[in-house]
Amino acid sequence: MMGEDQFRNKIYWFAFFFSLLVIWVHSANAEIYLGQMEAGWLLFAVEDFVGNVVAQISVPGFFMISSYLFYRNFSMSRLKDKWSSRIRTILVPFILWNFLYYMGYVAASRIPGLRDVVGKGTIPFDLMTAADAILHYTYNYVFWYLYQLILLILLAPAIYMAVKNRILAAAAAVVLLASIAQGYRLSYLNLDALLYYGTAAYFAVHMKNGAERAWNSRRLAVGLGFIAFAALCQILSVEGQRVLFVVLFRLFLPLGLWMAVDEAWLPAAPKWMKDTFFLYAVHFAIVRLINKTGAVVAYGIPWVPAVLYLIMPALCVAASAAIAAPMKKWCPALWSLLTGGRTA
């Protein structure tokens, strides 16, 4: 088995890797720099493949990490403590960040120059608009993930009872996959999110040894098998049951990478790499500011968006770290609230 420190370090590395992929999902810039220019077709194709195919495993990966950590060593007697801790780590940051993004948009929409970058006219400043922004992440689009995660955490008793019984878990998986294939939707909860989250919960309850066993050739073979199956699903997604195969691709590729990567390869994650929640929260604003501003001064120059797209994760990590450092030093209480107390 992995040591606890090795397991936690691997979690940090995978969370950071998924964070970089999320940044690429939101960094597409060919259209705003090049419009319909012929010179933009190759960049558009690259960004489409990276952002809409490969990098789409990022949020499923986050769902699986969150679920595995929730159900690792879980029992119903611990439910109250688990819910209590998630109020601090999930709910409070969800409310605060949504409010901060709303206030940022309100202010920017009233400042000449920034108003055009925001592109939403003048944002109303009133209680009802603020409440809607907080509850429905209206101005903080990337927090749809946290919204889904909150719903899944609330469903913890039902999810645990479903995965605890192997037969019931298999039946639930079949129903869920069939529903996804048929395009069924629930009003609030995404079925694919439930699949990613429930799969990791099953691993935590029944297959902890498999998930945390020390790396060996057998784990590598299983991981490569999962990756090969994910690749096949991606190929099949262009025909037939496209949605189902896309979901399976996004499920099995993170699982395959987890199994295939040797934890001994990974050096100890530095402190700045552990601030993935903060990076997730601020990256969209950084990406939007860089791309919108750059398009104003470098429109029509093909190499500018290509270079920016390539280095955008590095730019976001650097900017996030530069913002985080003084906050940790001078405003530790605020930092703790915004990050759910994840890091000091």
Side-chain angles (χ1 to χ4, degrees):
M1 295 288 287
M2 298 182 206
E4 184 65 20
D5 290 343
Q6 278 189 320
F7 171 77
R8 293 289 174 178
N9 190 58
K10 193 170 184 177
I11 290 288
Y12 287 134
W13 273 94
F14 268 70
F16 181 71
F17 171 65
F18 293 143
S19 297
L20 300 184
L21 294 184
V22 165
I23 294 170
W24 264 317
V25 169
H26 299 128
S27 296
N29 56 14
E31 184 175 354
I32 64 173
Y33 276 87
L34 304 174
Q36 301 301 316
M37 293 172 58
E38 221 175 284
W41 74 268
L42 179 59
L43 179 59
F44 179 85
V46 170
E47 291 181 353
D48 183 62
F49 178 72
V50 174
N52 292 325
V53 179
V54 179
Q56 289 294 329
I57 70 168
S58 53
V59 173
F62 283 137
F63 277 125
M64 286 188 272
I65 288 175
S66 297
S67 176
Y68 191 88
L69 293 178
F70 188 94
Y71 290 100
R72 188 176 184 239
N73 303 320
F74 180 83
S75 65
M76 288 301 293
S77 64
R78 300 189 62 194
L79 178 62
K80 183 178 179 180
D81 291 338
K82 289 280 187 176
W83 272 346
S84 179
S85 70
R86 267 53 180 186
I87 290 174
R88 181 189 183 193
T89 60
I90 304 295
L91 183 59
V92 171
F94 178 79
I95 293 171
L96 288 177
W97 279 108
N98 287 346
F99 179 72
L100 288 175
Y101 265 86
Y102 166 66
M103 292 303 297
Y105 271 90
V106 167
S109 70
R110 288 165 169 77
I111 300 174
L114 286 180
R115 184 184 295 113
D116 294 334
V117 174
V118 172
K120 290 184 178 293
T122 301
I123 307 298
F125 180 48
D126 57 64
L127 184 60
M128 293 300 295
T129 307
D132 180 71
I134 291 172
L135 293 175
H136 300 121
Y137 50 92
T138 312
Y139 301 97
N140 187 15
Y141 314 111
V142 299
F143 267 33
W144 72 267
Y145 159 69
L146 282 192
Y147 179 84
Q148 292 293 309
L149 189 58
I150 290 169
L151 296 180
L152 290 165
I153 291 170
L154 289 174
L155 290 173
I159 293 173
Y160 181 66
M161 295 304 294
V163 301
K164 187 177 181 182
N165 184 297
R166 294 175 186 267
I167 296 176
L168 183 58
V174 170
V175 171
L176 195 52
L177 289 170
S179 299
I180 292 171
Q182 293 299 317
Y184 295 143
R185 296 175 181 272
L186 299 179
S187 297
Y188 299 101
L189 182 64
N190 294 351
L191 292 180
D192 60 333
L194 180 58
L195 177 67
Y196 308 136
Y197 196 82
T199 299
Y202 185 88
F203 269 82
V205 173
H206 295 292
M207 303 178 67
K208 184 178 177 182
N209 287 342
E212 299 185 34
R213 191 181 302 277
W215 186 88
N216 53 33
S217 58
R218 184 178 178 182
R219 280 182 63 89
L220 175 60
V222 171
L224 293 177
F226 283 173
I227 293 170
F229 179 72
L232 176 62
C233 288
Q234 177 56 35
I235 294 171
L236 293 174
S237 70
V238 299
E239 299 178 359
Q241 295 286 354
R242 175 174 170 77
V243 173
L244 177 60
F245 286 121
V246 168
V247 168
L248 290 175
F249 167 78
R250 296 175 183 177
L251 172 66
F252 277 92
L253 187 52
L255 289 175
L257 292 173
W258 177 267
M259 299 294 285
V261 172
D262 184 353
E263 57 276 2
W265 298 346
L266 305 174
K271 288 185 177 180
W272 56 266
M273 189 183 287
K274 299 177 182 179
D275 295 333
T276 50
F277 185 90
F278 187 76
L279 175 61
Y280 184 86
V282 301
H283 83 272
F284 188 75
I286 297 170
V287 167
R288 188 175 180 86
L289 179 62
I290 292 174
N291 275 336
K292 287 276 191 175
T293 305
V296 172
V297 299
Y299 183 82
I301 306 175
W303 65 267
V304 172
V307 171
L308 281 178
Y309 185 77
L310 179 65
I311 67 173
M312 192 66 77
L315 294 176
C316 287
V317 170
S320 174
I323 298 169
M327 285 188 65
K328 291 179 182 180
K329 183 176 182 180
W330 302 110
C331 307
L334 177 61
W335 170 261
S336 181
L337 284 173
L338 290 176
T339 60
R342 284 172 174 80
T343 52

